[in-house]
């Protein structure tokens, strides 16, 4: 399996917290389960503050919160920026493309070029090569000041320490896009690429074929700080700041059992602020991500995901592009916590214990999806490591519980010599249980158009308004 398996359960927990439905093995809908059914899962918890709400009351609160959230980001807030980008797209960017391509090509180094096969006949020759390259993505090399002259971007100054694009729109407003990367810079080997290339030529009645197996070792030069700003007549319209701390990495290899990462991202778009205040990984200890989205002084959304990890084997990050034996991770353990807060009114929070075990159980269930007893047994075991609930107004009383539920599904496959045949198998969906009624519904069925008609209408209107804005 791929090395990414280590963090797969964190993704599962984040998926649960964000209310996204999923299933094991197919996109098919559960057969015969379109309506809510009784039973399933553990009962909801209790706590101080708040009071138990009926399913109808919960639906009403979720609907009003969703409508308020959607209304906070009208398309009119972005009319000015959209108009500017439309004009900027009309500027001929061929000079910029050639300039950027030249810088990138300078960063490609040929490590080896080896002839592995060859064949020659009276009519054609064939050669097979294996080429190895080292590719360095160095953002700090992209420096220069561009201005618009005769409808095209022109490099007017290359002896600078930043990248800047300046132009006047049809209203004679001056827009400036500026990017600056500052050190120290850290080169990190992130992944490898394998490509195939082919060349053909013909001369002197002879065809010549050349086949290349290209292996690229990709290294990224990560700056300490990357700042990107967009101004209109010197007034800030957009600002993005990325900070990264990789100083503990020795050499170009990041070993997930030995090295740490911390980073933050702050984005300001007019009155909107997106702040990823913490992206932190401490080897064999913890991982955390915190996200806040706000408009003015009003916090719209916050997401916090954290986990503690242990038993992580020594593997370089570049190995993410390779297959790793599952035994490599057999001693890996850890827990994960997630909390999503929407407008301070709706909270989805919970935890997953033994995240490696959750992934193992779900993979085992998928492998046994045509055995009802085995599949249900693995899903039951996975649920034992999950505890996710729905809360309101930051009270501690759990109003609903989410968990994995097995459903019988129908698929089609080719059986020789009979042809395509339908068959039954088992998959899982995320369901939500309302504690007052001891009933449950799949996420897809509960958050349907019939239950949240006004929300669907608001979202469709919002999408239409953005679509009109883009087409103006």
């Amino acid at each position: 399996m791929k090395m990414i398996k280590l963090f797969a359960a964190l993704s599962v927990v984040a998926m649960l917290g964000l209310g996204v439905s999923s299933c094991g093995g197919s996109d098919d809908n559960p057969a015969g389960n379109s309506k809510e059914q009784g039973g399933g899962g553990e009962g909801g918890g209790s706590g101080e503050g708040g009071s138990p709400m009926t399913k109808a009351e919960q639906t009403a609160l979720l609907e009003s919160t969703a409508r308020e959230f959607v209304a906070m980001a009208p398309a009119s807030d972005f009319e000015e920026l959209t108009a500017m980008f439309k004009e900027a797209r009309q500027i001929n960017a061929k000079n910029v493309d050639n300039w950027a391509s030249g810088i990138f090509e300078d960063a490609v180094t040929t490590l080896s070029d080896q002839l592995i096969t060859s064949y020659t006949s009276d009519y054609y020759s064939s050669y097979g090569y294996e080429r190895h390259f080292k590719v360095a993505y160095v953002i700090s090399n992209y420096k220069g000041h561009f201005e618009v002259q005769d409808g095209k971007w022109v490099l007017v100054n290359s002896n600078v320490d930043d990248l800047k694009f300046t132009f006047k729109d049809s209203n004679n407003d001056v827009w400036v896009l500026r990017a600056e990367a500052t050190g120290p810079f850290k080169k990190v080997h992130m992944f490898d690429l394998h490509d195939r290339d082919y060349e053909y030529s013909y001369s002197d009645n002879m065809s010549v074929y050349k086949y290349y197996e290209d292996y690229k070792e990709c290294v990224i030069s990560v700056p300490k700080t990357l700042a990107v700003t967009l101004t209109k007549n010197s007034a800030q319209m957009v600002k993005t700041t990325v900070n990264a701390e990789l100083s503990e990495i020795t050499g170009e290899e990041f070993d997930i059992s030995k090295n740490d990462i911390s980073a933050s991202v702050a984005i300001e778009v007019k009155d909107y602020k997106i702040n990823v205040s913490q992206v932190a990984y401490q080897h064999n200890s913890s991982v955390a991500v915190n996200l806040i989205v706000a408009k003015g002084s009003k916090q719209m959304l916050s997401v916090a995901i954290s986990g503690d990890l242990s038993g992580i084997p020594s593997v370089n990050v570049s190995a993410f592009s390779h297959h790793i034996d599952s035994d490599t991770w057999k001693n890996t353990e850890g827990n994960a916590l997630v909390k999503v807060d929407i407008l301070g009114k709706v909270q989805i929070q919970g935890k997953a214990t033994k995240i490696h075990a959750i992934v193992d159980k779900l993979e085992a269930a998928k492998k046994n999806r045509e055995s009802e007893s085995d599949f249900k047994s693995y899903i039951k075991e996975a649920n034992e490591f999950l505890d996710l609930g729905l809360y309101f107004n930051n009270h501690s009383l759990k109003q609903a519980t989410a968990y994995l539920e097995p459903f019988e599904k129908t698929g089609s496959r080719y059986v020789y010599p009979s042809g395509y045949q339908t068959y039954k198998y088992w998959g899982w969906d995320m369901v939500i249980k309302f504690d007052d009624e001891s009933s449950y519904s799949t996420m897809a069925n509960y958050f349907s158009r019939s239950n949240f008609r006004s929300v669907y209408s608001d979202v469709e209107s919002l999408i239409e308004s953005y679509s009109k804005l883009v087409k103006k």
Side-chain angles (χ1 to χ4, degrees), residues 7 10 279-282 285-289 305-309 335 355:
F7 300 107
L10 278 176
V279 178
Y281 171 78
Q282 294 182 328
S285 176
S286 64
V287 60
V289 178
I305 301 174
S306 64
D308 58 87
L309 308 168
N335 304 314
I355 59 176

Side-chain angles (χ1 to χ4, degrees), residues 95 121 170 189 232 342 359 407 418 466:
N95 290 338
S121 71
S170 56
H189 177 199
K232 175 187 175 183
I342 305 172
V359 177
F407 289 98
S418 303
Y466 275 97

Side-chain angles (χ1 to χ4, degrees), residues 221-262:
S221 182
V222 182
K224 172 70 175 179
T225 302
L226 174 63
V228 180
T229 58
L230 175 65
T231 60
K232 175 187 175 183
N233 298 326
S234 300
Q236 178 180 300
M237 303 295 289
V238 178
K239 181 180 180 180
T240 300
T241 305
V242 181
N243 292 296
E245 180 55 65
L246 303 174
S247 59
E248 293 185 2
I249 301 176
T250 58
E252 292 184 350
E253 293 291 349
F254 176 79
D255 189 327
I256 65 173
S257 71
K258 301 174 182 177
N259 302 129
D260 301 338
I261 293 177
S262 63

Side-chain angles (χ1 to χ4, degrees), residues 351-355 357-358 361 380-387:
K351 62 182 179 180
T353 57
K354 297 186 178 180
I355 59 176
I358 295 174
K361 300 302 180 185
K380 180 180 179 181
E381 292 174 1
N383 275 321
E384 292 175 357
F385 301 117
L386 293 173
D387 179 14

Side-chain angles (χ1 to χ4, degrees), residues 38-306:
E42 296 292 328
S46 62
E48 298 178 0
S51 58
M53 298 174 64
T54 65
K55 175 186 169 186
E57 290 172 334
Q58 293 186 49
T59 301
L61 179 55
L62 288 169
E63 184 173 30
S64 65
T65 303
R67 297 192 70 183
E68 180 181 351
F69 186 91
V70 171
M72 290 186 70
S76 57
D77 285 355
F78 303 95
E79 285 183 347
E80 200 172 16
L81 289 171
T82 303
M84 182 277 294
F85 283 119
K86 283 184 178 179
E87 290 194 36
R89 284 201 301 267
Q90 304 305 313
I91 303 171
N92 188 321
K94 184 177 181 180
N95 290 338
V96 179
D97 293 339
N98 293 336
W99 167 81
S101 297
I103 293 175
F104 176 77
E105 290 299 326
D106 289 342
V108 178
T109 304
T110 303
L111 302 181
S112 65
D113 190 344
Q114 178 183 0
L115 178 65
I116 53 177
T117 61
S118 65
Y119 176 80
T120 301
S121 71
D122 293 336
Y123 303 103
Y124 72 91
S125 296
S126 176
Y127 303 92
Y129 293 91
E130 182 176 282
R131 303 185 299 189
H132 295 259
F133 303 92
K134 185 173 184 178
V135 183
Y137 300 89
V138 185
I139 192 170
S140 58
N141 289 343
Y142 294 85
K143 298 176 181 179
H145 288 183
F146 286 84
E147 294 180 0
V148 179
Q149 297 179 8
D150 298 325
K152 59 184 177 182
W153 290 109
V154 176
L155 180 64
V156 297
N157 191 352
S158 59
N159 188 27
V160 291
D161 293 326
D162 61 353
L163 177 61
K164 187 164 68 175
F165 296 86
T166 304
F167 87 104
K168 288 185 179 181
D169 64 17
S170 56
N171 296 318
N172 214 36
D173 292 318
V174 180
W175 293 83
V176 179
L177 178 64
R178 180 175 182 265
E180 183 178 22
T182 55
F185 295 86
K186 187 64 182 178
K187 291 184 178 180
V188 183
H189 177 199
M190 295 300 294
F191 54 90
D192 294 331
L193 295 177
H194 176 206
D195 298 319
R196 292 180 174 86
D197 200 4
Y198 164 82
E199 291 180 4
Y200 169 78
S201 61
Y202 181 82
S203 62
D204 298 328
N205 297 320
M206 176 70 72
S207 294
V208 179
Y209 301 87
K210 292 184 179 180
Y211 304 88
Y212 299 98
E213 295 286 335
D214 291 343
Y215 296 88
K216 294 183 176 67
E217 177 184 319
C218 300
V219 175
I220 297 179
S221 182
V222 182
K224 172 70 175 179
T225 302
L226 174 63
V228 180
T229 58
L230 175 65
T231 60
K232 175 187 175 183
N233 298 326
S234 300
Q236 178 180 300
M237 303 295 289
V238 178
K239 181 180 180 180
T240 300
T241 305
V242 181
N243 292 296
E245 180 55 65
L246 303 174
S247 59
E248 293 185 2
I249 301 176
T250 58
E252 292 184 350
E253 293 291 349
F254 176 79
D255 189 327
I256 65 173
S257 71
K258 301 174 182 177
N259 302 129
D260 301 338
I261 293 177
S262 63
S264 65
V265 181
I267 302 173
E268 300 177 32
V269 182
K270 300 183 68 174
D271 201 28
Y272 296 85
K273 292 181 174 63
I274 302 174
N275 186 19
V276 184
S277 59
Q278 182 187 40
V279 178
Y281 171 78
Q282 294 182 328
H283 65 280
N284 272 310
S285 176
S286 64
V287 60
V289 178
N290 291 326
L291 166 69
I292 295 176
V293 179
K295 182 179 182 182
S297 60
K298 180 72 171 179
Q299 181 172 299
M300 299 174 62
L301 171 72
S302 69
V303 179
I305 301 174
S306 64

Side-chain angles (χ1 to χ4, degrees), residues 6-18:
L6 172 64
F7 300 107
L10 278 176
S11 300
V12 171
V13 175
M15 175 198 70
L16 304 186
L18 294 172

